[in-house]
Amino acid sequence: MERETQKGSTQAGEKEGTAQEIHYIPNPLPLPKKHAKKEIGFDFEPDPELLEFDVELKEGEDDFDI
């Protein structure tokens, strides 16, 4: 019977808005560094002709050993 009255009193306290506040302890561990966005600046822009990497294959050849 005591358990029932204790449960009833805690439930009534929560309904009334007298809930206890939660107090966290400070974190003693170091936090990770914030992400810094990086931009890469190139000295020059290559010609579009130099940017083609496709290898033309002859008829009957395969690209196994390229």
Side-chain angles (χ1 to χ4, degrees):
M1 292 230 166
E2 291 178 23
R3 291 182 185 171
E4 292 176 10
T5 57
Q6 290 175 354
K7 287 182 183 177
S9 64
T10 57
Q11 290 175 354
E14 290 175 0
K15 290 180 183 176
E16 294 174 6
T18 59
Q20 295 179 350
E21 292 184 28
I22 299 173
H23 298 284
Y24 295 106
I25 60 171
N27 187 0
L29 300 174
L31 296 175
K33 294 181 181 179
K34 300 252 181 191
H35 177 73
K37 188 174 181 179
K38 297 180 182 177
E39 292 185 19
I40 300 175
F42 295 102
D43 292 338
F44 68 97
E45 183 69 29
D47 292 331
E49 298 170 358
L50 299 174
L51 294 176
E52 291 187 26
F53 298 103
D54 292 334
V55 176
E56 298 292 330
L57 296 176
K58 296 179 185 175
E59 187 69 33
E61 290 183 357
D62 59 3
D63 58 349
F64 180 75
D65 57 349
I66 294 181

